[in-house]
Amino acid sequence: MQYLGALLPRITRLQALVIGLAVTPLLLGGAGVIALLLFLMASGGTVTGAPEQPIAFDHSVHAGEAAIPCQFCHRGVVTEASATIPSVQQCMFCHGVVATDRPQIQLLQAHWETNTPVDWTRVHRVPDHVRFVHAPHIQAGLDCATCHGDVASMSEVRQVRSLSMGDCQGCHRENSASLDCATCHK
Amino acid sequence: MSSAHEASARATAVATLGETIPTDAEVTPLDGRRWGMVIDLDRCTGCQACVVACQAENNIAINEENRVLERRAKTWIRIERYWEGEFPNAKARFIPVLCQHCGNAPCETVCPVWATYHNPEGLNVQVYNRCIGTRFCANGCPYSVRYFNFWNPEWPEPLNNQLNPDVTVRTKGIIEKCTFCLQRINRARVTSKNEDREIADGEVQPACVQSCPTTALVFGDLNDPSTTASRLAESERRYTLLENFGTDPSVVYLKKVDPHVEIDHHHGHHAETAGKHA
């Protein structure tokens, strides 16, 4: 309670104790809130829950039970920047005949018949000043699950890593990949 | 950027953030390349194709008349025009001026937040999300090729639909400048790595180089003696802009100086005196 004595020279010891007991939790609470805000700022990207999709596509059925390789649908991933979302036509290669009686598949077939794309909700997004290119990561032998988590067991895909700059850099440092800003920032 | 300044900055950074800051040795050097450009002024016709190509490639907002009058127009590459002689016998001379990607860049040492730095391939890189808009770099640049965003850029319909997705749209309050079309360099790096080969000479062409109708602009690795650019850079016609500043530019200009041309001694004398006063 030294600081109170300095601020208010004529205060008694009891008064100082009472004021101290009342004010200290407030100060600690404030510091706690500030620390929490700083932590949230420093932690960068947020890991969000699974967004709702227009069609309840289940990765655990396709990538899990049926064990279809990721590249079968996400065809750009080996050679392009973007892994690419398959077109309705590609879904229809199978779903022209497979499980045509289910309501979710009939939603898909409606898109096929009306010649409209499915408006999927994007799950993973890096900021606009970052250019992430899938190809070199796959070529380097990284598993998709390294960044995307165990998608084969997810009914609804959600982001599992922060994908913040520190997240990328940690991995780049471990694998002696480039740490030059210009490699990722555009 | 070296020695005492860097050491003390690094010590501060380590004290704040712990041992997560990479040293220069840890920042992986990439093959010792030095990207550079050779501009043959004897070929340049001043057509401005490079200027237009650059605006389109790099999402540079349109310079309306009042922006130009306010001297806040942005052109990562510009054509400077000089007149030689008096009216009936006047000749126009052109010098395309872009970021010189100096080996000893005055802009890099003055940035308080390291938003501009020299990368291992000899590029002077501007990291937009670090920039806080002090404009020290633009004041330090003797070539006046750094541009400040006084506004958020806007494009009239339908030009807003032709933005290049590989280039950030820069927001209000930050500095931007020529990148030597970094997005094209990065694309060539990924492609060549996928195909397990080196980047070929001429594979990377910035938009200005690609669009030049007289091939006055040549881009390439100046450290590799086999490239067209490095061979041209050895020409006896070579000079660099403001050579006496010692900035070590990566842009080399070629110009034949005709020894038989009449020198205006009166004006020449004036220029010399002005130089001494400056």
Side-chain angles (χ1 to χ4, degrees):
Chain A
M1 301 306 144
Q2 298 290 327
Y3 65 95
L4 271 175
L7 276 174
L8 309 163
R10 301 184 63 187
I11 203 167
T12 66
R13 195 168 277 263
L14 183 67
Q15 282 171 324
L17 186 67
V18 171
I19 294 172
L21 283 175
V23 170
T24 309
L26 283 177
L27 289 176
L28 286 178
V33 168
I34 289 167
L36 182 68
L37 283 175
L38 283 176
F39 169 74
L40 287 175
M41 280 161 69
S43 60
T46 47
V47 180
T48 51
E52 199 176 327
Q53 300 289 356
I55 297 176
F57 177 84
D58 192 339
H59 271 88
S60 70
V61 172
H62 295 81
E65 288 168 31
I68 301 169
C70 308
Q71 287 92 327
F72 184 80
C73 298
H74 301 288
R75 296 195 163 180
V77 79
V78 185
T79 53
E80 308 291 328
S82 166
T84 66
I85 302 295
S87 63
V88 174
Q89 185 183 30
Q90 201 175 328
C91 303
M92 292 302 289
F93 289 159
C94 296
H95 283 295
V97 287
V98 175
T100 49
D101 55 331
R102 301 205 188 146
Q104 293 295 324
I105 305 301
Q106 281 159 3
L107 279 178
L108 178 74
Q109 285 167 336
H111 279 284
W112 175 242
E113 278 150 25
T114 54
N115 221 1
T116 50
V118 183
D119 193 9
W120 300 107
T121 306
R122 189 163 182 163
V123 182
H124 301 88
R125 183 187 286 279
V126 288
D128 189 38
H129 51 261
V130 179
R131 177 169 160 82
F132 178 80
V133 184
H134 273 92
H137 296 87
I138 301 296
Q139 302 272 354
L142 283 180
D143 194 30
C144 304
T146 313
C147 302
H148 292 288
D150 187 14
V151 174
S153 68
M154 290 181 197
S155 297
E156 292 175 314
V157 171
R158 62 183 189 282
Q159 187 176 327
V160 294
R161 280 182 77 150
S162 78
L163 304 183
S164 63
M165 191 170 101
D167 198 10
C168 294
Q169 273 193 319
C171 208
H172 267 230
R173 194 172 286 115
E174 278 169 26
N175 293 297
S176 308
S178 171
L179 290 172
D180 182 27
C181 310
T183 306
C184 310
H185 287 287
K186 58 180 191 179
Chain B
M1 171 76 68
S2 65
S3 67
H5 173 64
E6 187 159 349
S8 73
R10 187 179 150 73
T12 321
V14 167
T16 336
L17 299 165
E19 278 291 343
T20 56
I21 311 293
T23 60
D24 280 359
E26 283 172 337
V27 176
T28 324
L30 301 166
D31 333 325
R33 275 198 204 93
R34 180 176 185 179
W35 294 113
M37 192 182 287
V38 178
I39 300 181
D40 191 338
L41 298 181
D42 293 325
R43 284 171 175 265
C44 178
T45 62
C47 74
Q48 309 256 2
C50 51
V51 178
V52 176
C54 179
Q55 300 276 127
E57 169 77 13
N58 291 303
N59 299 340
I60 301 172
I62 292 163
N63 294 314
E64 289 153 5
E65 189 182 358
N66 53 345
R67 294 281 185 272
V68 179
L69 293 175
E70 286 168 329
R71 296 184 175 273
R72 289 177 177 182
K74 283 180 288 178
T75 49
W76 287 6
I77 182 169
R78 63 172 186 265
I79 305 282
E80 292 194 350
R81 186 182 59 194
Y82 296 92
W83 293 107
E84 211 171 73
E86 292 300 322
F87 162 61
N89 299 316
K91 281 179 178 171
R93 302 296 191 199
F94 304 105
I95 305 182
V97 180
L98 66 162
C99 173
Q100 308 284 308
H101 292 267
C102 307
N104 186 16
C107 56
E108 288 169 11
T109 47
V110 294
C111 181
V113 293
W114 285 11
T116 181
Y117 76 103
H118 219 68
N119 95 338
E121 296 197 327
L123 296 173
N124 174 267
V125 182
Q126 179 75 13
V127 186
Y128 301 126
N129 46 318
R130 270 188 192 167
C131 180
I132 56 170
T134 63
R135 290 186 268 158
F136 295 164
C137 57
N139 291 331
C141 176
Y143 307 101
S144 301
V145 289
R146 291 181 153 267
Y147 299 91
F148 185 69
N149 281 278
F150 284 92
W151 301 272
N152 276 326
E154 283 173 12
W155 287 267
E157 293 269 354
L159 290 175
N160 57 339
N161 291 321
Q162 64 98 50
L163 295 180
N164 184 351
D166 291 343
V167 180
T168 320
V169 173
R170 285 81 51 187
T171 50
K172 183 165 70 180
I174 61 170
I175 286 277
E176 62 180 55
K177 62 157 201 90
C178 163
T179 62
F180 270 169
C181 283
L182 183 58
Q183 66 279 9
R184 296 186 178 205
I185 297 174
N186 278 338
R187 179 168 295 171
R189 179 187 301 132
V190 170
T191 316
S192 62
K193 202 175 171 186
N194 281 354
E195 293 169 6
D196 201 21
R197 59 174 175 81
E198 288 293 308
I199 299 176
D201 183 26
E203 187 176 350
V204 184
Q205 278 196 324
C208 53
V209 175
Q210 189 183 22
S211 63
C212 183
T214 59
T215 59
L217 279 62
V218 177
F219 185 77
D221 180 5
L222 295 182
N223 275 357
D224 176 356
S226 70
T227 61
T228 316
S230 68
R231 270 188 285 118
L232 284 171
E234 296 297 312
S235 162
E236 59 180 16
R237 293 185 292 142
R238 72 161 280 154
Y239 77 100
T240 52
L241 283 190
L242 305 177
E243 219 156 64
N244 52 327
F245 284 9
T247 50
D248 184 23
S250 297
V251 179
V252 173
Y253 291 84
L254 306 182
K255 180 71 184 168
K256 185 176 181 184
V257 179
D258 189 349
H260 301 299
V261 82
E262 270 187 48
I263 300 164
D264 186 338
H265 287 287
H266 180 69
H267 280 101
H269 179 70
H270 259 293
E272 213 176 281
T273 341
K276 274 176 192 164
H277 279 294

